[in-house]
Amino acid sequence: MATTRRRFLSASAMLAAGLRGRLRADAPDQKTAIPALKPPTHPVIITRETGDETIRQAYAMLLRGEDTLEAAIHICQGREDDPNDHSVGLGGLPNEDGVVELDACLMHGPTRQAGSVGAVTNIRHAARLARTVMEQTWHVMIVGRGAERFAVDEGFPRENLLTDDARKMWLLWKEHGTGWWGPGLDNPKWKPEAPAGSSPRAALLPRHPAPEQMSMVTGRLRDLYAQADRMGIPARLRHEAAMQVLWPTTGTIHVSALNTKGELSGATTTSGLAWKIPGRLGDSPIIGAGCFTDPEIGSAGATGNGEENIKVCGAHTIVDAMRQGASPREAGMEALRRIARNYNNDMTRLRYLDMIYYILRRDGAYAGVSLWSSRGDGARKTYVVHDGTQRTLEVDYLFEGISQSIHPF
Ligand code: ASP
């Protein structure tokens, strides 16, 4: 055979092999540590309390054979549409400039696709928009002005998401507490108490004060009530506004959904931390932190201090622990222990943090786990499961007690 022809044939063979690709014979075993998980005999949804009908409706969608991600988005959208839910969508609390910025991410098990949006403005349905990123582009994540423009191009209505109530709460915060976002708890220079001689505002104000701290907290609350009255904030909103000023909370909703074919999806949506620095992203738009779904293993998501969850890649850590054989509860505890380890288990800092993980395995096993056991009123923290009946269940937890939440002064 002439040399040129031989070269041509071997080049074509290499090209063909290259196009097809081939797994090398000594490639490590790709199998999971646990035997294939059998799908359950009934669909399962895990999420938080929504106070509406969407969980029941989403379950009916799964029974009808509708897509698991569509069912998860249905629940997210119920919260995004509720102007009285100040943690997500319309009515979400704004950033320090008074602009509502939304974050969301999701994963679709059957196609192994993912989508995410961050700091998106003027678009109510952040979870749906994340799905549109997933389906209409080759990107996974679009943020800020680009996300808004993409949404409008895709037919999403542009609207002002700052409701009158959220605006009033923001105005009260501006009067009282602007401009403190550091140093963070993870900064070696962070101190639990105000340095001597500094403004009383620099002292940490515990959300759930010990008896001797009670007068300090009630004093601050009284000031805020008076200020709210002067600003014309209605009495029905006064307490909530004061609480949001002192301890800016968020809420977020995560949903994981599983059907009887073993198809899994997860979605998380939020307006993030109230009064945040514009452009701040928490864990909710981060695939692997706020949400992670592996169609062979399970799905997990989080609500709580996003910064802490990003540092342990919480949702991915959990799903991966289940891949190694951990139960949903053990897997969740592993992620929580990593958060605690990042603080060398220092309780003076950990008491200001909080995290809940919502965990669903492909065989229908589930768990809700939390860094701290209880809410401020002493009741156990909860999560919601629907697997034929909708139930509110108490979380499993790492630490017994109440998280204090951090406040921004
Ligand atoms: N994880 C959300 C964030 O950090 C907030 C929350 O879930 O409360 O933005």
Side-chain angles (χ1 to χ4, degrees):
M1 203 190 298
T3 335
T4 22
R5 182 163 154 69
R6 240 189 346 252
R7 275 214 206 105
F8 171 76
L9 284 178
S10 70
S12 327
M14 273 168 70
L15 192 65
L19 286 175
R20 274 197 314 272
R22 215 185 304 131
L23 188 67
R24 48 187 283 195
D26 61 348
D29 190 355
Q30 300 293 307
K31 282 199 206 86
T32 54
I34 43 173
L37 291 160
K38 283 213 195 69
T41 52
H42 42 260
V44 186
I45 292 173
I46 185 164
T47 185
R48 72 148 155 102
E49 195 65 73
T50 57
D52 61 20
E53 282 301 304
T54 53
I55 300 174
R56 255 179 270 284
Q57 290 160 354
Y59 198 80
M61 288 167 73
L62 294 179
L63 289 175
R64 288 197 298 271
E66 290 181 43
D67 179 40
T68 46
L69 183 56
E70 226 19 67
I73 292 176
H74 180 76
I75 297 171
C76 290
Q77 226 156 271
R79 297 297 78 228
E80 289 167 342
D81 284 335
D82 182 352
N84 296 316
D85 188 328
H86 296 300
S87 69
V88 52
L90 177 72
L93 294 179
N95 66 21
E96 64 181 14
D97 290 348
V99 178
V100 181
E101 291 179 330
L102 304 183
D103 306 326
C105 76
L106 41 79
M107 288 186 91
H108 186 236
T111 57
R112 295 176 185 265
Q113 284 181 293
S116 155
V117 290
V120 61
T121 43
N122 301 319
I123 305 294
R124 179 191 300 204
H125 293 142
R128 168 79 50 210
L129 183 56
R131 182 167 196 157
T132 309
V133 171
M134 178 184 99
E135 287 178 333
Q136 302 303 329
T137 75
W138 200 8
H139 304 316
V140 166
M141 188 174 210
I142 305 182
V143 303
R145 284 227 299 277
E148 180 177 343
R149 198 175 74 192
F150 170 75
V152 172
D153 289 348
E154 288 294 324
F156 284 74
R158 189 185 249 139
E159 60 184 319
N160 180 11
L161 302 177
L162 187 66
T163 57
D164 200 39
D165 281 357
R167 190 180 59 83
K168 284 177 173 143
M169 290 194 240
W170 169 67
L171 286 172
L172 186 64
W173 172 77
K174 269 188 83 78
E175 283 295 314
H176 263 257
T178 54
W180 187 95
W181 284 120
L185 275 181
D186 58 358
N187 187 315
K189 295 201 180 102
W190 181 85
K191 295 228 169 36
E193 302 304 339
S198 67
S199 127
R201 279 191 173 185
L204 279 176
L205 202 59
R207 182 172 188 142
H208 308 292
E212 68 277 9
Q213 298 167 312
M214 193 58 104
S215 64
M216 177 170 75
V217 173
T218 49
R220 288 284 302 173
L221 276 174
R222 236 190 341 262
D223 290 351
L224 280 162
Y225 290 165
Q227 177 74 23
D229 286 344
R230 283 196 293 279
M231 292 170 65
I233 292 177
R236 68 174 166 79
L237 201 59
R238 203 171 52 185
H239 180 68
E240 191 182 353
M243 296 297 281
Q244 289 290 0
V245 169
L246 290 180
W247 302 285
T249 50
T250 48
T252 304
I253 178 153
H254 169 78
V255 185
S256 283
L258 167 68
N259 67 17
T260 52
K261 288 191 262 175
E263 293 170 342
L264 273 160
S265 293
T268 302
T269 183
T270 190
S271 52
L273 188 59
W275 333 130
K276 60 194 168 188
I277 295 172
R280 175 265 186 191
L281 298 177
D283 58 331
S284 307
I286 312 278
I287 298 288
C291 178
F292 189 77
T293 303
D294 180 329
E296 290 169 5
I297 307 295
S299 181
T303 62
N305 293 92
E307 283 74 7
E308 302 314 316
N309 194 30
I310 291 172
K311 289 187 282 185
V312 299
C313 297
H316 181 268
T317 293
I318 288 168
V319 174
D320 220 52
M322 291 197 289
R323 178 182 287 279
Q324 304 308 322
S327 70
R329 176 187 176 278
E330 288 160 359
M333 289 297 173
E334 169 60 21
L336 293 172
R337 273 195 301 269
R338 290 185 192 197
I339 293 176
R341 196 186 54 196
N342 280 348
Y343 287 88
N344 297 319
N345 294 312
D346 174 0
M347 299 307 263
T348 54
R349 298 178 193 237
L350 286 168
R351 70 199 170 118
Y352 293 108
L353 297 179
D354 218 348
M355 190 66 58
I356 298 185
Y357 290 119
Y358 306 81
I359 307 160
L360 181 53
R361 206 169 58 181
R362 188 177 188 264
D363 60 354
Y366 57 80
V369 301
S370 171
L371 193 62
W372 290 96
S373 61
S374 310
R375 303 188 317 219
D377 58 8
R380 289 272 190 246
K381 294 188 182 211
T382 59
Y383 65 105
V384 171
V385 164
H386 198 323
D387 56 3
T389 33
Q390 184 174 327
R391 305 185 297 291
T392 300
L393 301 171
E394 290 181 357
V395 291
D396 238 303
Y397 52 86
L398 194 59
F399 301 127
E400 177 94 45
I402 300 167
S403 144
Q404 289 289 346
S405 303
I406 196 95
H407 87 111
F409 300 121

